[in-house]
Amino acid sequence: MTREESGRAGGAPDNDRMMEPPGKGKPTLRTIAGLTGLAVTTVSRALAGDVQIALETRMRVSQVAREIGYMPDRAAQRLRTGRTNVISLILDPHEEILGYATSMINGVTEALRDTPYHLVITPHFSDRPQIEPVAHILRNRTADGVIFTRTEPLDARVKMLLESDFPFICHGRTELATPHPYVDYDNYAFAYQAARRLTASGCRKLAIILPPTAFTFAHHMRHGFMTAIREEGLAYEIPQEVTLDSKSDAIRDCFFALFAHPDRPDGVVCGGEVIAMAVMAAAYDHGLKLGQDVHIVTKQTSGLFDQVRPRIPTIYEDLAEAGRLMGELLLKRIAEKKPVTELQYLQTVTGF
């Protein structure tokens, strides 16, 4: 225990540590100080997650705060420290990845557990500029840090946040010359390994549904897919009328038409479980047998395909882990300046 944590030894009690009578108004920092025998300033720093306060002390202070129902005065706290203790997660729900929002939220929440930070979900709608919610947060200082997804090669949000020196981390990378914090999934390796798995099954013409070209991971997926195609010298098809953002009915109709051709694809790389189900429906409606006439490899983000028969080969992307990693790295960035290389993480491909 540090000298500050132990308070003054002997003599008259420090006013900062005098416990308020129980039952008199809502609990305050002074209440916690009285119950723990710590100085008010130490209690405040412990609740703020100050790493210079011993972990045992921080845990004890947090436990007492929970037990007595202490709630910080957010307005006063912001005036005093300039911080909101809010992390904003900007989400644009999209159908192709099952449980995307829930998994991300669970992961970030786990990272913020036992810290003073609260998670606030900021919606973004696809028909509005992506920079709008970020600009709003910067203008009004409604959060101490921002997490966002669907990163673009020359992402304007990344540029704005870097120029403002505002803490952030994104799910996905850019192609900007300036390094930035991110957590990403290796979509190149996903598409490459999925295509190689299909060729190993005897497929001779492959197809893939790519994300919209505006997003960086669309280029990573295409590169991985085309690398496998060139290595094997295979025929391929990349439908232009649908993307990962298309409705499942549109994808089903697209592949129903493709499967009617004499030179139809016999192997399909699917970037999400909803996509895979649409392709499976198109194959079934043509009387094609999965695993014989048509082979599918899909990215899996939920437990859905554990129950699908016949079994479909999957490659797993752990979205909850991505959320947790983004939360942890963002907290590091907020606490102190870190080299950008310490704020970057690439999730590897698993599932084979």
Side-chain angles (χ1 to χ4, degrees):
M1 182 177 291
T2 66
R3 182 177 180 182
E4 182 180 10
E5 291 172 42
S6 60
R8 299 174 181 170
D14 189 338
N15 286 339
D16 280 350
R17 297 191 299 154
M18 291 181 65
M19 184 171 67
E20 293 180 358
K24 299 277 181 132
K26 68 177 184 179
T28 65
L29 292 175
R30 198 180 301 279
T31 310
I32 301 173
L35 292 171
T36 58
L38 300 170
V40 169
T41 54
T42 303
V43 170
S44 177
R45 291 171 59 193
L47 289 173
D50 189 335
V51 294
Q52 293 185 349
I53 303 296
L55 176 60
E56 181 182 355
T57 301
R58 282 182 276 148
M59 294 177 64
R60 180 160 61 97
V61 169
S62 295
Q63 181 179 350
V64 170
R66 287 194 299 270
E67 289 175 353
I68 67 174
Y70 168 75
M71 295 294 290
D73 186 331
R74 297 273 291 278
Q77 191 175 60
R78 182 173 180 179
L79 287 173
R80 184 174 65 255
T81 66
R83 289 190 173 181
T84 63
N85 283 347
V86 167
I87 299 297
S88 179
L89 172 60
I90 302 173
L91 282 177
D92 179 5
H94 38 289
E95 182 184 53
E96 86 279 3
I97 299 179
L98 289 176
Y100 185 90
T102 302
S103 297
M104 280 286 177
I105 292 169
N106 287 344
V108 177
T109 301
E110 179 61 27
L112 302 185
R113 185 178 179 181
D114 297 326
T115 77
Y117 287 94
H118 302 269
L119 181 64
V120 172
I121 307 302
T122 302
H124 168 258
F125 301 99
S126 57
D127 61 344
R128 303 296 302 167
Q130 283 195 327
I131 203 167
E132 276 190 359
V134 171
H136 176 82
I137 291 168
L138 277 176
R139 185 168 54 251
N140 297 285
R141 285 298 192 265
T142 54
D144 296 331
V146 176
I147 300 172
F148 57 88
T149 64
R150 316 273 277 176
T151 309
E152 299 180 357
L154 302 176
D155 203 293
R157 299 168 297 180
V158 173
K159 291 180 182 178
M160 175 180 284
L161 290 162
L162 285 173
E163 290 169 359
S164 303
D165 195 26
F166 191 84
F168 77 96
I169 192 162
C170 50
H171 191 223
R173 290 165 281 174
T174 71
E175 295 176 0
L176 296 169
T178 306
H180 64 86
Y182 67 78
V183 171
D184 200 6
Y185 177 77
D186 194 344
N187 281 288
Y188 170 92
F190 158 72
Y192 177 80
Q193 291 194 22
R196 292 304 301 260
R197 177 68 176 265
L198 291 170
T199 60
S201 299
C203 298
R204 289 295 169 261
K205 183 175 183 180
L206 306 188
I208 187 172
I209 307 100
L210 293 174
T213 56
F215 304 125
T216 311
F217 79 115
H219 306 286
H220 295 161
M221 282 182 63
R222 183 185 181 93
H223 188 196
F225 178 76
M226 291 305 301
T227 299
I229 290 293
R230 286 191 293 268
E231 288 178 353
E232 297 295 326
L234 299 179
Y236 68 95
E237 182 113 23
I238 302 179
Q240 300 301 305
E241 62 269 32
V242 292
T243 71
L244 260 65
D245 280 4
S246 299
K247 297 295 184 183
S248 56
D249 285 348
I251 294 170
R252 182 262 171 201
D253 292 344
C254 173
F255 274 84
F256 185 82
L258 288 177
F259 289 151
H261 296 166
D263 63 339
R264 61 175 174 77
D266 56 357
V268 185
V269 177
C270 299
E273 291 145 304
V274 173
I275 308 299
M277 292 175 68
V279 174
M280 291 169 65
Y284 178 85
D285 290 345
H286 264 295
L288 301 174
K289 292 185 178 180
L290 293 172
Q292 296 181 28
D293 304 316
V294 175
H295 297 264
I296 293 174
V297 175
T298 185
K299 183 185 290 187
Q300 182 175 2
T301 55
S302 74
L304 176 64
F305 267 66
D306 293 340
Q307 313 305 326
V308 170
R309 302 295 183 272
R311 288 191 176 275
I312 303 297
T314 64
I315 300 176
Y316 186 59
E317 178 179 2
D318 193 336
L319 293 172
E321 181 193 46
R324 179 182 59 79
L325 288 166
M326 288 194 291
E328 291 175 353
L329 294 177
L330 183 56
L331 290 177
K332 288 183 179 179
R333 167 63 180 84
I334 292 172
E336 57 181 306
K337 281 282 190 178
K338 290 278 187 181
V340 173
T341 53
E342 294 183 21
L343 302 173
Q344 298 173 336
Y345 189 93
L346 183 63
Q347 290 180 289
T348 56
V349 167
T350 60
F352 282 107

